Amino acid sequence: MNVAAEAPAAGPGRIRATYLLRTAGDADKVAAIVAGEQSSGTFLPVPGESEALKQRSAARVERLAPVEDGGLPPLPGASPGALASYEMELSWPFANLGASLPNLLAALAGNLYELRDVAGLKLLDFAVPAEFYAAYPGPAFGVAGTRRLAGVAEGPLIGTIVKPSVGLDPAETAAVVDQLCEGGIDFVKDDELQADGPGCPFDERVKRVLDVVRRHEARTGRTVMVAFNLTGEIDEMLRRHDLVAELGGSCVMVSLNGVGPAGVTALRRHARLPIHAHRNGWGYLGRSVDNGFSYVAWQKIWRLAGVDHMHVNGIANKFWEPDDSVVASARACLTPMTKSHRNVVMPVFSSGQTVMQAEPTLARLDSSDFIFCAGGGIVAHPRGIAAGVRSLRQAFDAASAGIPLGEAAKRSPELAEAVEKFS
Amino acid sequence: MNVAAEAPAAGPGRIRATYLLRTAGDADKVAAIVAGEQSSGTFLPVPGESEALKQRSAARVERLAPVEDGGLPPLPGASPGALASYEMELSWPFANLGASLPNLLAALAGNLYELRDVAGLKLLDFAVPAEFYAAYPGPAFGVAGTRRLAGVAEGPLIGTIVKPSVGLDPAETAAVVDQLCEGGIDFVKDDELQADGPGCPFDERVKRVLDVVRRHEARTGRTVMVAFNLTGEIDEMLRRHDLVAELGGSCVMVSLNGVGPAGVTALRRHARLPIHAHRNGWGYLGRSVDNGFSYVAWQKIWRLAGVDHMHVNGIANKFWEPDDSVVASARACLTPMTKSHRNVVMPVFSSGQTVMQAEPTLARLDSSDFIFCAGGGIVAHPRGIAAGVRSLRQAFDAASAGIPLGEAAKRSPELAEAVEKFS
């Protein structure tokens, strides 16, 4: 699950990053090559690469410690030989790049993945100096702001994804949301496949869904938080955000990889609503053992950019990821980036989630500052959507009170049916 | 090198994508699961998922053909069993997402990489219907526009990267560019590590470098094309672009992965100069055999977004990539996306390039519509930068005329020294 044994310390003046490095070469030399490639060196000594220039601009190898090697074959094109694994910490002078996330990525996660001497490389963690926190304000809402807007003072936010993911028109979507609100849901999100397709245009969907939300608000005094997927081009996203805000909505959602860091930062700087960040595509960035990013490193990029909620998969999910890795990701989201710049975001559990995961999620996270999204786990309830929502809330209430699920199910036919269906 | 045996045809109304799929499961069932996950299905049948909805919204498996399996271990968390490989083509209704690149990525390259039944997945190629070409104008300059601005009517553009990559201040950078112009270079680019760091601020660098370029322009009548790395946040990039344009510059450069699709599209829509696209980070997207993207698929995203030059690594490069893969990438850039929307971009060769790669690059690409960037291969020339440039041009002139490098070197001490140094 790729967690660094030793996290890099944020120090004055330098940017630090920790990697899992696999190589068949002399590790000290390879680490120096990586540091050179990512700063003032190239494959040949060049004139102008003076000692003074290196002194002010070269990346440094701060630490290189052998770790157990996973025994996988090397990445293609790697220099041959017996492979070993290392935890490698590099540092860069701040003056090389300044407080810029897009340029931070070029330094931390640029050409180095392509070096021949690199048979495997994963960015495990990083730390940036104070200038970055001055330039990037981080999440505007985080846990406290989300709780305030959703009207949920304590406990997890019980949420769902509109299902079917795609194919409902705006009126059909609003009808589903109506039943969810009827059942007492806290949070609803669009599927990441549903943004502004001709089959379900964004504006019309937002209008119809927020009509429903406001009707229930008048009844309950609480505004169900709906994360509308505004993923698109910059101008589209800003306009869509404004529409949601004007119509009294309280959240927007964005696909991080489809938009990219500069687009997400632009959205953050414009937004006056919480940003729900979807990680679709994370598999190609993080699933390989020996290539890409650990989630611990990757989520920091978006917390700096200033999103408020981050997807972390779920316990016993329908995807590949083991529970330990999911829990580590969720904890990372709740771990302050620095003492003075916490940038804590709300982890979002999803993927095949049902009443069965309520207790283990609460127990393993050791916090209730999270959003728990069940899609099929609500909509596929035998008695319908509202019953699906109620069963999920009952499961969390029971878990919070220390009542075993089986016991709680005896008192609620809705919960009993959910347990039978999803266990 | 991950090239699809059969490229998806752009058809009316549907989006198509081809993948390399590895699985231990029943391939037909797994392909159907992938198609479901990426459209109207989820892990459970849900109410509302009617036949009519599936008919209008479900992704379809268009083709599934066994291909030779590479024998690698599965990605972590994959369902156990004997693995086999397939080329899988899926299609989506246009109405699901509309003409939106960020949302196209959520459909084509989203959650599917995380399915348990997926033991390996690589996006090999894709095709989009005409609506995308109406929404995304593609490259504004491409080959012809670049040649016009650089004043190079035929043959490759001889280029370089300012070296050392980072650490020179604006005046030192301008001094290097002065020598490059003196030597007759066509194209100069910033390193991807050099954008707007406090050690070499963008504005000051642009002013000083363009002073030099204009001085040589007055002498030669030709404007050396300098790709200034404006990578940053959206507002920064647009402002920097305008500065370059106002000062008479003719190109800007952007790091694709650090900025992301929405940011690059915003830059394209604002820009009146060619956009030189740097692929740093490509290793974590494309180096794994069984995860991520093939370059053939990935470069199409950016051609739709509208960049003009795409990095493709180089023959006999310092990185991991074999020559066949490099050549396939460069050819992909020069292959029209459709008959009516060619969107051809100029491939950029770089990475450990010297006089030694001039002839093989021309020969293998079977075109001279490319930019050839040598960094150390110019700057580390024993007689200095200007001699480095001249030796490289001599190498290309000889190759174009069919004269062997050794023969040509006999007539030029500069070329002879370069051959001796770099062979």
Side-chain angles (χ1 to χ4, degrees):
Chain A
M1 72 189 181
N2 298 126
V3 175
E6 198 173 319
R14 288 186 87 82
I15 294 153
R16 287 160 192 270
T18 307
Y19 300 86
L20 171 69
L21 167 71
R22 297 188 81 217
T23 184
D26 175 316
D28 289 313
K29 282 187 194 160
V30 172
I33 288 170
V34 174
E37 174 66 27
Q38 292 310 109
S39 61
S40 58
T42 185
F43 70 114
L44 286 167
V46 297
E49 196 183 345
S50 63
E51 279 310 310
L53 183 140
K54 283 199 240 184
Q55 188 63 34
R56 69 175 181 266
S57 304
R60 282 201 305 247
V61 181
E62 299 284 352
R63 190 167 58 84
L64 189 65
V67 294
E68 195 183 348
D69 185 73
L72 285 176
L75 288 174
S79 306
L83 290 171
S85 285
Y86 302 85
E87 201 167 293
M88 169 178 75
E89 184 178 328
L90 304 182
S91 76
W92 288 260
F94 176 76
N96 281 25
L97 49 143
S100 170
L101 268 183
N103 291 301
L104 181 71
L105 285 165
L108 263 55
N111 282 345
L112 66 174
Y113 290 88
E114 298 206 53
L115 291 165
R116 272 178 207 278
D117 287 319
V118 167
L121 190 77
K122 204 148 180 177
L123 177 62
L124 298 181
D125 204 350
F126 71 86
V128 290
E131 289 88 342
F132 271 83
Y133 295 97
Y136 291 91
F141 293 86
V143 175
T146 298
R147 287 194 175 285
R148 180 172 49 78
L149 288 181
V152 181
E154 53 189 29
L157 271 67
I158 311 295
T160 192
I161 309 112
V162 174
K163 296 281 171 191
S165 312
V166 66
L168 300 176
D169 69 20
E172 290 164 335
T173 306
V176 169
V177 173
D178 194 14
Q179 296 176 68
L180 290 162
C181 292
E182 190 63 42
I185 200 93
D186 299 323
F187 178 90
V188 181
K189 63 177 278 293
D190 283 330
D191 194 89
E192 80 276 9
L193 299 170
Q194 186 67 275
D196 186 41
C200 190
F202 184 86
D203 290 12
E204 182 66 15
R205 184 170 78 251
V206 168
K207 284 174 195 162
R208 292 200 175 239
V209 167
L210 286 178
D211 274 350
V212 167
V213 168
R214 280 200 308 260
R215 188 152 39 75
H216 287 278
E217 185 183 67
R219 176 176 65 84
T220 65
R222 211 162 57 91
T223 311
V224 172
M225 180 175 274
V226 181
F228 291 103
N229 180 13
L230 54 58
T231 300
E233 302 305 339
I234 312 286
D235 52 348
E236 294 170 340
M237 293 195 294
L238 304 192
R239 194 196 60 71
R240 289 175 191 156
H241 164 276
D242 291 350
L243 179 74
V244 174
E246 280 156 24
L247 295 177
S250 57
C251 193
V252 294
M253 164 175 152
V254 65
S255 287
L256 297 174
N257 293 310
V259 167
V264 171
T265 298
L267 174 62
R268 162 67 179 90
R269 289 188 174 161
H270 176 86
R272 53 186 197 271
L273 298 176
I275 299 170
H276 184 87
H278 201 286
R279 74 179 194 177
N280 66 82
W282 166 245
Y284 64 71
L285 295 169
R287 186 171 175 184
S288 291
V289 177
D290 55 352
N291 198 1
F293 296 77
S294 87
Y295 191 80
V296 171
W298 191 73
Q299 50 99 36
K300 285 188 174 177
I301 299 164
W302 308 106
R303 287 166 67 184
L304 277 169
V307 306
D308 297 283
H309 311 152
M310 283 287 294
H311 276 244
V312 297
N313 210 337
I315 303 277
N317 60 78
K318 67 180 175 181
F319 295 138
W320 68 274
E321 195 177 359
D323 292 350
D324 285 355
S325 173
V326 172
V327 171
S329 295
R331 285 198 176 140
C333 292
L334 292 169
T335 303
M337 287 184 74
T338 74
K339 278 180 190 171
S340 45
H341 301 283
R342 299 172 54 82
N343 285 16
V344 161
V345 295
M346 227 159 177
V348 182
F349 291 90
S350 69
S351 170
Q353 302 295 285
T354 72
V355 292
M356 304 309 293
Q357 283 95 346
E359 191 279 331
T361 304
L362 265 183
R364 292 218 51 186
L365 189 56
D366 199 22
S367 166
S368 61
D369 287 338
F370 60 87
I371 301 175
F372 184 90
C373 286
I378 283 179
V379 183
H381 190 285
R383 292 205 196 184
I385 290 177
V389 174
R390 285 193 296 269
S391 68
L392 204 59
R393 187 171 299 284
Q394 289 157 7
F396 271 106
D397 287 347
S400 300
I403 301 166
L405 188 63
E407 287 301 308
K410 288 180 191 163
R411 295 177 225 166
S412 158
E414 285 158 350
L415 183 54
E417 283 183 72
V419 170
E420 192 185 335
K421 167 104 184 174
F422 300 123
S423 65
Chain B
M1 68 192 183
N2 296 126
V3 175
E6 198 175 317
R14 289 186 85 82
I15 294 152
R16 289 161 190 270
T18 307
Y19 300 87
L20 172 69
L21 167 70
R22 295 188 81 216
T23 184
D26 174 316
D28 288 313
K29 283 186 193 161
V30 172
I33 289 170
V34 174
E37 173 68 27
Q38 292 310 110
S39 60
S40 58
T42 184
F43 70 114
L44 287 167
V46 297
E49 197 184 345
S50 63
E51 280 309 310
L53 183 139
K54 281 200 238 183
Q55 188 62 33
R56 67 175 182 267
S57 304
R60 283 201 303 248
V61 182
E62 300 282 353
R63 190 167 57 83
L64 189 65
V67 294
E68 196 183 349
D69 185 73
L72 285 175
L75 287 174
S79 307
L83 290 171
S85 285
Y86 302 86
E87 201 166 293
M88 169 179 73
E89 184 179 326
L90 304 182
S91 76
W92 288 260
F94 176 74
N96 281 24
L97 50 142
S100 169
L101 267 183
N103 291 302
L104 182 71
L105 286 165
L108 264 54
N111 282 345
L112 66 175
Y113 290 89
E114 299 206 54
L115 291 166
R116 273 178 207 277
D117 287 319
V118 167
L121 190 77
K122 205 148 178 177
L123 177 61
L124 299 181
D125 203 350
F126 71 87
V128 289
E131 289 88 343
F132 271 84
Y133 295 98
Y136 292 91
F141 293 87
V143 175
T146 298
R147 287 195 176 284
R148 180 172 49 80
L149 287 182
V152 180
E154 54 189 29
L157 270 68
I158 310 295
T160 192
I161 309 110
V162 173
K163 295 281 173 190
S165 312
V166 65
L168 299 176
D169 69 19
E172 290 164 336
T173 306
V176 169
V177 173
D178 195 15
Q179 294 176 70
L180 290 162
C181 293
E182 190 63 43
I185 199 94
D186 299 320
F187 178 90
V188 181
K189 64 177 278 293
D190 282 331
D191 194 88
E192 79 278 7
L193 299 170
Q194 185 68 274
D196 186 42
C200 190
F202 184 88
D203 291 11
E204 182 67 17
R205 183 169 81 254
V206 169
K207 284 173 195 162
R208 291 198 177 243
V209 167
L210 286 178
D211 274 352
V212 166
V213 167
R214 280 201 306 261
R215 187 152 41 74
H216 287 278
E217 184 183 67
R219 173 176 67 83
T220 65
R222 210 162 57 91
T223 311
V224 171
M225 180 175 274
V226 181
F228 292 103
N229 180 14
L230 53 59
T231 299
E233 303 305 339
I234 312 284
D235 52 348
E236 294 171 340
M237 292 195 294
L238 304 192
R239 194 196 59 71
R240 288 174 191 157
H241 164 277
D242 291 350
L243 179 73
V244 174
E246 280 156 24
L247 294 177
S250 56
C251 193
V252 294
M253 163 174 151
V254 66
S255 287
L256 297 174
N257 293 311
V259 167
V264 172
T265 298
L267 174 61
R268 162 65 179 88
R269 288 188 175 163
H270 176 88
R272 54 186 196 269
L273 298 176
I275 299 170
H276 184 86
H278 200 286
R279 72 178 196 178
N280 65 82
W282 167 245
Y284 65 72
L285 296 170
R287 187 171 175 185
S288 291
V289 176
D290 55 353
N291 198 0
F293 296 77
S294 87
Y295 191 81
V296 171
W298 191 74
Q299 50 100 35
K300 285 188 174 176
I301 300 165
W302 308 106
R303 286 165 68 184
L304 275 169
V307 305
D308 297 283
H309 312 151
M310 283 287 296
H311 277 242
V312 297
N313 209 339
I315 302 276
N317 61 79
K318 66 180 175 179
F319 294 137
W320 68 275
E321 195 177 359
D323 292 349
D324 285 353
S325 174
V326 173
V327 171
S329 295
R331 285 196 176 143
C333 293
L334 292 170
T335 303
M337 287 184 73
T338 73
K339 278 180 190 170
S340 44
H341 301 283
R342 297 172 55 81
N343 284 15
V344 161
V345 296
M346 234 164 169
V348 181
F349 291 91
S350 69
S351 169
Q353 302 296 286
T354 71
V355 292
M356 304 309 293
Q357 282 94 343
E359 189 279 331
T361 303
L362 265 183
R364 292 220 49 190
L365 189 56
D366 198 23
S367 166
S368 62
D369 287 337
F370 61 87
I371 301 174
F372 184 90
C373 285
I378 284 179
V379 184
H381 190 284
R383 290 205 196 184
I385 291 176
V389 174
R390 285 192 296 270
S391 68
L392 204 58
R393 188 172 297 285
Q394 289 157 7
F396 271 105
D397 288 346
S400 299
I403 301 164
L405 188 63
E407 286 303 306
K410 287 180 191 164
R411 296 177 224 165
S412 157
E414 286 159 347
L415 183 54
E417 284 183 72
V419 170
E420 192 185 334
K421 168 103 184 175
F422 301 121
S423 63

